[in-house]
């Protein structure tokens, strides 16, 4: 399976308009944004856990990065409510579940082979940094000099520019955005190749976004 696998082209996916696709685990469904592979895949997805659902224990050989969008995600290491950001580095394992149900945004098999920067940010954690023009607040979640990840809160009706020298991904967490002729709603995902700046306008309600800047696929990505 190959979905949005051309990294030279800009991509906008209106995930909330997609149907849910069942996973092998009962009660766990997906909306696929990017994918190379079948069940084992380099993938970016929105994943929904029904109340009481779980995945069997598995190892993330290629790493896992996720944001909890609603509900509470759980594993044997802890509980992660909406607004949590987690990086599980290559070789880590867990039993993901959700007692009350949750939705997450997740990236799989996209870590560098030498990346061992395990990161857990509970809601509100991270480094406050000066916001860009049009933003009310910005929280740095991760920065190792190769990739940078933030939550940003954009002001109502603000026009916002995000420079992009390496590659950029954006997930609309809440509120609304307009990019060119496209009107985005929560769960919308944007990917832009290096050199293409993001030009967006927040809705009347403003916007909360997750932004990742770095290579869209690392040269030393974990071998598949």
């Amino acid at each position: 399976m190959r979905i949005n696998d051309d990294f030279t082209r800009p991509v906008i996916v209106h995930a909330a308009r997609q149907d849910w696709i069942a996973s092998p685990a009962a009660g766990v469904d997906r909306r696929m944004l990017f994918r190379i592979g079948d069940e084992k895949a380099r993938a970016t997805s929105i994943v929904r856990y029904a109340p009481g659902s779980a995945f069997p224990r598995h190892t993330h050989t290629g790493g896992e990065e996720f944001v909890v969008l609603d509900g509470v995600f759980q594993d044997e290491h802890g509980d992660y409510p909406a607004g949590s950001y987690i990086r599980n580095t290559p070789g880590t394992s867990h039993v993901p579940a959700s007692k009350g149900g949750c939705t997450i945004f997740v990236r799989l098999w996209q870590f560098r082979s030498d990346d061992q920067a395990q990161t857990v940010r509970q809601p509100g954690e991270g480094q406050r940094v000066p916001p860009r023009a049009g933003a009310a607040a910005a929280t740095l979640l991760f920065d190792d000099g190769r990739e940078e990840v933030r939550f940003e809160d954009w002001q109502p009706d603000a026009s916002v520019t995000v420079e992009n020298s390496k590659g950029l991904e954006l997930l609309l967490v809440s509120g609304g955005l307009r990019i060119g002729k496209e009107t985005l709603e929560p769960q919308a995902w944007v990917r832009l190749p290096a050199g293409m700046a993001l030009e967006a306008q927040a809705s009347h309600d403003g916007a909360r976004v997750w932004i990742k800047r770095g290579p869209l696929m690392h040269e030393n990505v974990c071998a598949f």
Side-chain angles (χ1 to χ4, degrees), residues 9 11 32 82 85 154 162 171 174:
R9 301 180 63 180
V11 174
M32 299 180 182
Y85 169 73
W154 292 356
V162 182
L171 180 77
S174 62

Side-chain angles (χ1 to χ4, degrees), residues 87-196:
R87 299 178 89 250
N88 289 325
T89 53
T92 55
S93 68
H94 66 161
V95 181
S98 183
K99 182 177 180 180
C102 71
T103 306
I104 66 172
F105 165 77
V106 61
R107 303 172 80 253
L108 299 172
W109 279 97
Q110 297 178 60
F111 275 60
R112 302 188 314 274
S113 57
D114 61 350
D115 188 341
Q116 291 298 312
Q118 179 79 17
T119 303
V120 176
R121 304 284 187 226
Q122 291 282 353
E125 294 183 346
Q127 179 186 352
R128 302 297 186 272
V129 293
R132 70 182 78 250
T139 301
L140 183 66
L141 301 170
F142 178 78
D143 184 1
D144 67 353
R146 301 185 188 183
E147 53 187 74
E148 178 196 83
V149 182
R150 298 182 175 203
F151 279 135
E152 296 192 4
D153 295 301
W154 292 356
Q155 297 172 344
D157 300 313
S159 295
V160 180
T161 299
V162 182
E163 297 302 325
N164 174 22
S165 62
K166 298 180 180 179
L168 182 148
E169 289 185 47
L170 176 148
L171 180 77
L172 179 56
V173 178
S174 62
L177 287 179
R178 188 168 182 82
I179 299 176
K181 297 181 180 180
E182 300 271 5
T183 299
L184 280 62
E185 56 198 358
Q187 295 190 13
W189 177 71
V190 180
R191 191 184 68 202
L192 300 178
M196 181 176 292

Side-chain angles (χ1 to χ4, degrees), residues 1-66:
M1 185 182 298
R2 304 186 76 90
I3 299 172
N4 293 322
D5 62 328
D6 185 348
F7 297 107
T8 67
R9 301 180 63 180
V11 174
I12 296 178
V13 179
H14 300 278
R17 304 175 193 175
Q18 294 183 351
D19 293 332
W20 291 102
I21 299 171
S23 80
V28 182
D29 302 317
R30 302 168 291 191
R31 288 169 166 161
M32 299 180 182
L33 311 177
F34 154 71
R35 199 169 190 89
I36 300 174
D38 296 313
E39 276 309 314
K40 177 183 176 182
R42 301 199 195 279
T44 301
S45 310
I46 305 290
V47 179
R48 179 181 66 182
Y49 285 76
S53 61
F55 253 106
R57 174 171 295 280
H58 56 275
T59 298
H60 287 292
T61 308
E64 173 193 53
E65 179 180 26
F66 66 91

